[in-house]
Amino acid sequence: MPQTMSNPYAHLVEPLDPQKPEKKFYNLCKLGDPRYGRLPFSIRVLLEAAVRNCDEFLVKKEDVESILNWKVTQQQSVEVPFRPARVILQDFTGVPAVVDFAAMRDAVKKLGGDPGKINPVCPADLVIDHSIQVDFNRKAESLQKNEELEFERNKERFEFLKWGSKAFRNMRIIPPGSGIVHQVNLEYLARVVFEQDGFYYPDSLVGTDSHTTMIDGLGVLGWGVGGIEAEAVMLGQPISMVLPEVIGYRLLGTIDPLVTSTDIVLTITKHLRQIGVVGKFVEFFGPGVPRLSIADRATIANMCPEYGATAAFFPVDHISIKYLEQTGRDKDKLSYITRYLKAVGMFRDFSNSSQDPDFTQVVELDLSTVVPCCSGPKRPQDKVVVSEMKKDFESCLGAKQGFKGFQIAPEHHAAKVNFKYDGQEFVLSHGSVVIAAITSCTNTSNPSVMLGAGLLAKKAIDAGLSVKPYVKTSLSPGSGVVTYYLKESGVMPFLSQLGFEVVGYGCMTCIGNSGPIPEPVVQAITKGDLVAVGILSGNRNFEGRVHPNTRANYLASPPLVIAYAIAGTIRIDFEKEPLGVNPQGKEVFLRDIWPTRDEIQMVERQFVIPAMFKEVYGKIETINERWNALKAPSDELYTWDPKSTYIKSPPFFESLTIGLQTPKSITDAYVLLNLGDSVTTDHISPAGNIARNSPAARYLSGRGLASREFNSYGSRRGNDAVMARGTFANIRLFNKFLNKQAPQTLHLPSGETLDVFDAAERYQQAGLPLIILAGKEYGSGSSRDWAAKGPFLLGIRAVLAESYERIHRSNLVGMGVIPLEYLPEDTAESLGLTGQERYTIIIPDELTPRMIVDIKLDTGKTIKARMRFDTDVELAYFHNGGILNYMIRKMLEK
């Protein structure tokens, strides 16, 4: 809420419309500062928030000056505060946030404070989209059965969230079955310009999901943060961020008629990974931008975490306003959105190059050079041109185990396994497609690729093609609007005939909720040690994420997902080999059934209309009868049920005192895990199914649950006992101590190989601190707070890595775990570290951001590393034992 009385920039306030003097805004153009007109548009959003919230306490005049002086300060690691307009959450990350709030209320009461002060002051929307799984597919009743199972499995979680929506102010819940958080955000929740408390200001947000950046495609600045950091924002704490460099990404040229937005984003992802944009903003400009629809821009912005940037911003232009109109936004709102953005110099005309701001660096892409492509088999940045997919996969088969290798012996490359399914004989080999999923907000928010898939399906059926019955096909739209226009345009029956029935409205296969594949298929894969394939229109394809039995997973556009499903294998050259043979014996090639961009756009113009959006979103909060029927209390304090295996009061605040404890050096720590490069948050804290032989399974069995009731790790994030046991439980975790993939480690004192949790428990019982050794990009992938909370509960005090993914580093900071970084040119190998040593990390009395500290080994050697507390605020969190402890102490001061 703007505080004009104490704000040194109150003189900038004026009415937007003289006829409505009560509706005001901070007119940044009245600063009269020529630097403002040269700022990137994304930085102007940060500046406006700093001006409007300037109180000389949390936000100071010097912060405003730092942002205005961005051209100089961007290179100086200057820290600035940012107060976003709102927060968005999904249920996998939202449940632990509400659990933390409930536990914080208990802690405040225990320490003599008012628990009611633990309450969001920043508006928060929580969309339940991560709970539904693909248990049923290929049948008309699949959607209903999957939704019934979702409620059966998650009733406790949903009741808890419903309590949260009543007990906490400013928290809105979007019920299950509504769609995917980022698509709902794009189509419904986004304001673009806020009108609140008599002021207009830019919509902006942070979210507890790394793909929050999708909203940048609409000109709303947003990015993913750790769940812990988001909780602090909800409680009124600004984000402390280093003022970022901004890479200008110039788009020019025209798009080939056969190319999709998915091809464009996979091309950009590889390009920006090569340039290196970690921790930076990317801002798109140039004459190619108006050739992209908002759905295309949102697809590109969505995969921002995959290319490593913090945000991927497309400023608002006339196409943004047309999209708001198309999605049924109110005409009065469209009027003040345009008027406000033009008044403050934030409305973009991409054809006017004189509007181009200053950038740190400019790179460009000629859209005419983009060709159809996929990414994989293990990382989203590993782009493969479709024409080279067969050759690339076959080279990966024999290559050394790694991101592009499976290390299959040459004599086994042609292995084949016969199996029976539904009374028919089939053959599987390396490269056989066993999962084909049209899924994820990245693509299902884009009518062009969804209608493209539908038109391709129609042409495939007309040509007499089909998908083999054992392939697990699914369609999980990001909102009800998608189903609406697929039905209205007449393509839905053809998708259904190919097996792509609607199975649910949620993330599903993209986050590992792919459900079981047929047992005969699993047996055939296991028998032949086959590299089976998942093909999905998602944004992540890390090992072990999509399904335990698909070692190779490729990201592709929805039409290509269908094409590979029909082919049944990734080992096909679409140019030279047919997709299949029709009943008349004629070969059918992909080019025969591929729809052009013009065909797709004609259907889109006719069938994607505002009335659809108004109808679907007009009843989104009330249409789910199962949700409406849930009973939930509204007491200020939550009554924890000791029998619950879903919701449990976490131990984070058990030893919290009002006074600070001085951080001490970590003495003689053992290494729990010795890891390599690109360890993802999926490796650290998997979201998928709970293996029957895992520590988490043993815990749940001990509580009387059958294996069919285990559900997923993601759904159990409200229970720390399950999540601690699930930490490093990914079967694809490669630990150098064992030199193989397994969720296990070496317990160094005894020499025994144990499950990671069991080893950590032994160390903790002996009072021995732990650390982790890792390589580059530690913690890449999803913004998963349990990837920091879990290690904290295992007794891990520090991580020593070559580099970190941005969100995961901040999550470690939030939990009081020290992120240490090797000095440039140093690695575990170059320093001769085996992980068998014991490590003493010297923590000085006086700490400064990014300081270098000594680490003494029991071998007598001393090495140096940088302590990655990047700001004074992060050091304050560390002194408090983490961000949540810091917030509780702040509340007790008030």
Side-chain angles (χ1 to χ4, degrees), residues 210 305-306 540 542 680-682 779-784 805 807:
S210 49
E306 281 65 53
R540 297 242 164 97
F542 301 126
T680 71
T681 52
D682 280 295
S780 54
S782 302
S783 61
R784 206 162 281 178
E805 194 277 338
I807 298 174

Side-chain angles (χ1 to χ4, degrees), residues 194-373:
F194 254 80
E195 181 198 4
Q196 193 160 316
D197 302 321
F199 279 83
Y200 295 109
Y201 51 94
D203 187 6
S204 61
L205 68 152
V206 291
T208 58
D209 189 286
S210 49
H211 294 104
T212 299
T213 52
M214 184 169 179
I215 203 63
D216 292 341
L218 184 57
V220 175
L221 184 63
W223 62 86
V225 295
I228 306 154
E229 199 173 358
E231 290 166 33
V233 173
M234 289 164 72
L235 294 173
Q237 187 75 2
I239 283 177
S240 176
M241 62 185 293
V242 173
L243 200 59
E245 295 182 8
V246 182
I247 306 301
Y249 201 95
R250 188 168 184 263
L251 295 172
L252 62 156
T254 54
I255 304 161
D256 184 283
L258 299 180
V259 161
T260 68
S261 57
T262 317
D263 303 320
I264 297 169
V265 71
L266 295 179
T267 301
I268 289 172
T269 298
K270 182 172 184 181
H271 185 202
L272 285 174
R273 269 283 172 191
Q274 289 170 333
I275 289 164
V277 292
V278 173
K280 302 173 185 178
F281 284 4
V282 175
E283 186 167 308
F284 293 85
F285 74 111
V289 175
R291 298 188 183 108
L292 299 174
S293 68
I294 293 304
D296 291 338
R297 299 177 197 184
T299 299
I300 292 165
N302 177 284
M303 285 192 71
C304 175
E306 281 65 53
Y307 40 86
T310 299
F313 194 65
F314 288 84
V316 174
D317 67 347
H318 69 285
I319 292 174
S320 316
I321 302 301
K322 278 185 185 172
Y323 175 82
L324 293 174
E325 192 175 342
Q326 182 194 33
T327 50
R329 263 58 170 224
D330 184 83
K331 280 191 166 50
D332 287 345
K333 287 184 180 174
L334 300 189
S335 172
Y336 74 65
I337 288 170
T338 306
R339 187 168 184 167
Y340 168 78
L341 292 172
K342 285 183 174 177
V344 290
M346 293 191 200
F347 194 89
R348 192 75 162 92
D349 177 0
F350 289 103
S351 64
N352 180 3
S353 60
S354 69
Q355 260 198 7
D356 293 353
D358 294 329
F359 292 113
T360 309
Q361 177 189 353
V362 172
V363 294
E364 70 177 35
L365 173 69
D366 184 342
L367 292 169
S368 66
T369 64
V370 177
V371 295
C373 56

Side-chain angles (χ1 to χ4, degrees), residues 128 151 154-162 176 627 630:
I128 300 175
F151 263 80
N154 296 284
K155 186 167 179 279
E156 275 185 63
R157 296 172 67 243
F158 292 171
E159 285 173 342
F160 176 69
L161 286 175
K162 202 160 189 183
W627 175 263
L630 283 178

Side-chain angles (χ1 to χ4, degrees), residues 769-792:
L770 296 169
I771 66 166
I772 286 172
L773 298 184
K776 298 181 185 71
E777 297 175 348
Y778 180 73
S780 54
S782 302
S783 61
R784 206 162 281 178
D785 58 344
W786 268 108
K789 288 176 174 175
F792 169 81

